[in-house]
C-alpha cells in the first residue's frame, strides 16, 4: 500500500515529530512518502537523514519558530498551488492520503473533488469553539475524509464538540515518541556545558507565549537563594521570545541558573535529556505535548500545570501544580524525583511507536480498498 503524507510544516514540532516517527516504524507492505506544502529546513534535514522520500510543493518557507496562525495567513498562496498538488498526487498514484493539520486538510478536501483516493486526517491541536462560518466550512472539509483522528482525547473531544455534525467523528490515536528516547546514551554533561552537581530541569519548546518560559523564570526568582543554588534550568529551542527572556533573566540576576542551547537537533535530544533530572512542561494549552512524553521515555518525571491534557498524558509520571505554585513544584520535584522516575517510564509505554503505528495501519486497512497485511516492526 502506498501512503502519501501531506503536511504544512512549521519548524519541528509535534506533528513533524509524529510523522517522522511513524514512517521510521517500517511495515513490509507500506510504501510511504511525504509532501511538504512549503520548505521547512529543520524538518527536511531530518527527513533526509532518515532516508525518507519527500517533495516540496512551494518554494517558500514560513521560517523557524513562526506561530501556527501564520499558516492561516498563507491560505491564498497555498490554494494557488492546488493544481500542482493534484498533479503530484496523480503522478504518485497513492492508495491512501494521510493529511496532517491545516492547510493540508483544506487543500486535500478540495483536491478530492477531482481525485478518488481514501483519505485520513490527523489533527494535532486543541480546538476552540468556531464561529458559525468556520463551523460550516470545516465541517465540509472534515466530511471529505474517510476517517478523522486527533492526538489526544482532549483534542478529539474539542473537535467533536466544535463540529458535531461530522459523519466521521474524531477518534484518538496518540502521538508517538521516537524509540531512541527509550534508550538514551550515558549522561555526559560536559558535552552540553552543564553544571555537574545541581538538580537540572529541561524544557524543550519553541519560545512562544503559550509555552510559558516566563512563568518558569518567575518561579525560579521566587525561590530563596539556598534553593536556587541547588537547581539549574536548560531551555532547548528557539523562537521570537528568546531575546526578551534572556533580558528578563539578566534583570533578575538569574543568569547562572539558566542555559539556553538554541535549537537542538531531534536525534540528539535523547543524549541531552540523559544529562537532566526532570522535565518542565508548563503549557496552558496543547494538543498533545510530545516533548513531555519524550522526557518520560528517557526516565525524566515531568513538572507541568494541572490541566485536563496533562492529567491525560502525564498521569502519575510527574507532578501537576497550579501556575501560582510552580516554584513549590520545583522544590517538590527535587525531593520526589527518584520515586517518580519509574512511573514516568511506565507511563511512556502508552506512546510507543510500534503501538501507535499499528493503530494507524488498522485505519489504513479499513478505509483503503486494497488493504494491508504487514505488521509494524519494533
Amino acid at each position: 500500500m502506498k501512503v502519501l503524507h501531506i503536511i504544512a510544516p512549521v519548524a519541528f514540532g509535534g506533528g513533524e515529530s509524529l510523522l517522522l516517527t511513524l514512517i521510521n516504524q517500517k511495515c513490509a507492505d507500506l510504501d510511504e512518502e511525504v509532501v511538504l506544502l512549503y520548505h521547512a529546513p529543520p524538518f527536511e534535514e531530518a527527513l533526509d537523514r532518515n532516508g525518507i522520500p519527500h517533495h516540496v510543493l512551494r518554494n517558500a518557507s514560513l521560517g523557524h519558530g513562526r506561530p501556527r496562525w501564520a499558516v492561516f495567513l498563507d491560505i491564498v498562496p497555498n490554494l494557488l498551488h492546488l493544481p500542482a498538488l493534484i498533479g503530484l498526487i496523480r503522478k504518485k498514484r497513492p492508495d491512501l492520503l494521510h493529511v496532517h493539520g491545516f492547510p493540508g486538510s483544506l487543500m486535500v478536501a478540495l483536491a478530492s473533488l477531482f481525485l478518488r483516493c481514501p483519505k485520513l486526517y490527523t489533527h494535532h491541536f486543541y480546538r476552540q469553539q468556531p464561529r458559525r462560518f468556520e463551523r460550516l466550512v470545516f465541517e465540509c472539509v472534515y466530511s471529505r475524509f474517510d476517517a478523522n483522528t486527533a492526538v489526544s482525547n482532549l483534542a478529539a473531544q474539542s473537535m467533536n464538540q466544535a463540529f458535531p455534525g461530522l459523519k466521521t467523528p474524531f477518534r484518538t490515536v496518540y502521538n508517538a515518541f521516537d524509540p531512541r528516547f527509550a534508550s538514551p546514551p550515558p549522561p555526559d554533561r560536559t558535552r552540553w556545558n552543564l553544571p555537574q552537581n545541581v538538580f537540572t530541569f529541561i524544557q524543550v519548546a519553541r519560545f512562544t507565549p503559550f509555552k510559558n518560559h516566563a512563568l518558569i523564570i518567575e518561579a525560579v526568582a521566587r525561590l530563596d537563594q539556598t534553593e536556587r543554588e541547588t537547581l539549574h534550568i536548560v531551555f532547548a529551542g528557539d523562537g521570537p521570545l528568546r531575546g526578551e527572556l534572556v533580558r528578563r533573566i539578566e534583570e533578575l540576576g538569574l543568569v547562572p541558573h539558566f542555559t539556553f542551547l538554541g535549537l537542538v537537533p531531534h536525534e540528539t535530544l535523547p543524549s541531552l535529556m540523559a544529562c537532566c533530572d526532570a522535565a518542565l512542561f508548563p503549557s496552558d494549552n496543547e494538543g498533545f505535548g510530545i516533548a513531555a512524553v519524550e522526557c518520560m521515555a528517557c526516565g525524566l518525571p515531568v513538572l507541568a500545570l494541572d490541566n485536563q491534557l496533562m492529567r491525560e498524558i502525564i498521569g502519575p509520571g510527574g507532578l501537576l501544580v497550579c501556575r501560582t505554585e510552580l516554584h513549590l513544584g520545583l522544590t517538590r520535584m527535587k525531593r520526589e524525583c527518584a520515586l517518580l522516575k519509574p512511573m514516568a517510564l511506565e507511563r511512556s509505554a502508552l506512546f510507543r511507536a510500534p503501538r501507535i503505528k499499528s493503530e494507524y495501519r488498522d485505519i489504513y486497512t479499513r478505509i483503503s480498498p486494497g488493504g494491508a497485511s504487514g505488521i509494524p516492526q519494533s
Side-chain angles (χ1 to χ4, degrees):
M1 178 188 295
K2 186 166 188 175
V3 179
L4 195 61
H5 296 271
I6 298 174
I7 188 170
V10 176
F12 200 102
E16 293 79 15
S17 172
L18 171 63
L19 183 49
L20 186 65
T21 300
L22 282 178
I23 297 178
N24 278 331
Q25 287 296 302
K26 303 299 184 182
C27 288
D29 62 343
L30 289 182
D31 176 15
E32 301 178 88
E33 297 186 28
V34 181
V35 174
L36 292 76
L37 296 187
Y38 35 72
H39 282 297
F43 185 46
E44 291 176 68
E45 291 165 9
L47 292 172
D48 285 332
R49 286 193 297 269
N50 287 271
I52 297 172
H54 57 279
H55 316 271
V56 179
L57 191 67
R58 288 180 54 197
N59 189 24
S61 174
L62 290 183
H64 173 67
R66 189 88 174 270
R68 293 275 175 178
W69 55 259
V71 179
F72 286 84
L73 301 181
D74 213 38
I75 291 176
V76 173
N78 274 319
L79 290 180
L80 291 176
H81 286 77
L82 182 60
L85 177 62
I86 293 172
L88 181 58
I89 294 172
R90 284 177 172 160
K91 178 181 178 181
K92 292 296 177 180
R93 301 180 65 184
D95 299 297
L96 183 141
L97 299 175
H98 188 167
V99 183
H100 303 260
F102 184 86
S105 55
L106 174 61
M107 295 185 69
V108 170
L110 293 173
S112 68
L113 299 173
F114 308 94
L115 301 167
R116 286 193 176 184
C117 184
K119 299 173 294 300
L120 166 64
Y121 172 64
T122 295
H123 190 76
H124 293 268
F125 303 98
Y126 176 82
R127 186 58 158 95
Q128 302 286 349
Q129 282 295 310
R131 295 181 176 86
R132 184 176 180 181
F133 175 74
E134 283 183 285
R135 179 176 289 113
L136 292 173
V137 170
F138 283 99
E139 279 191 348
C140 291
V141 168
Y142 302 135
S143 293
R144 302 295 301 182
F145 287 85
D146 301 281
N148 289 300
T149 66
V151 294
S152 66
N153 291 334
L154 179 63
Q157 291 166 7
S158 72
M159 292 298 285
N160 289 330
Q161 290 171 2
F163 308 105
L166 293 177
K167 294 180 180 178
T168 53
F170 283 80
R171 56 165 285 192
T172 301
V173 179
Y174 282 127
N175 206 330
F177 67 85
D178 187 315
R180 286 176 290 190
F181 286 89
S183 54
D188 179 9
R189 291 196 174 194
T190 57
R191 174 184 176 184
W192 301 97
N193 294 318
L194 300 180
Q196 293 293 327
N197 298 310
V198 294
F199 191 96
T200 301
F201 290 89
I202 183 172
Q203 184 185 22
V204 181
R206 293 190 301 275
F207 290 112
T208 54
F210 77 93
K211 297 293 186 178
N212 278 334
H213 294 81
L215 187 63
I216 296 172
I217 295 169
E218 300 304 323
V220 173
R222 293 183 67 181
L223 297 174
D224 62 45
Q225 184 64 29
T226 302
E227 287 286 355
R228 282 201 298 269
E229 292 299 328
T230 65
L231 63 80
H232 194 79
I233 310 294
V234 176
F235 287 149
D238 211 341
L241 293 184
R242 177 171 175 168
E244 177 183 326
L245 295 169
V246 170
R247 287 191 293 273
R248 181 58 177 161
I249 289 171
E250 292 171 347
E251 290 171 1
L252 294 170
L254 299 176
V255 172
H257 305 294
F258 287 86
T259 294
F260 286 77
L261 290 178
L263 183 63
V264 177
H266 192 250
E267 64 272 15
T268 64
L269 280 175
S271 65
L272 171 60
M273 291 175 179
C275 298
C276 302
D277 299 293
L280 289 164
F281 201 85
S283 299
D284 289 309
N285 187 14
E286 292 272 359
F288 180 76
I290 184 60
V293 169
E294 291 169 343
C295 286
M296 288 195 297
C298 283
L300 306 187
V302 180
L303 175 60
L305 299 187
D306 188 0
N307 54 49
Q308 183 178 344
L309 178 67
M310 292 297 98
R311 290 192 291 271
E312 176 186 349
I313 301 301
I314 294 174
L319 297 176
L320 303 179
V321 298
C322 65
R323 61 187 299 119
T324 58
E325 296 184 353
L326 185 61
H327 64 298
L328 300 178
L330 292 172
T331 57
R332 184 181 165 195
M333 179 61 83
K334 288 193 297 178
R335 296 194 306 269
E336 301 182 21
C337 182
L339 295 175
L340 291 169
K341 181 182 177 74
M343 289 185 277
L345 288 168
E346 182 179 358
R347 187 68 173 182
S348 70
L350 290 174
F351 315 106
R352 287 177 179 161
R355 174 178 181 167
I356 304 306
K357 182 64 176 271
S358 181
E359 290 189 49
Y360 275 116
R361 182 193 157 279
D362 288 345
I363 299 174
Y364 295 168
T365 302
R366 177 170 58 83
I367 68 176
S368 176
S373 58
I375 298 175
Q377 302 167 5
S378 59

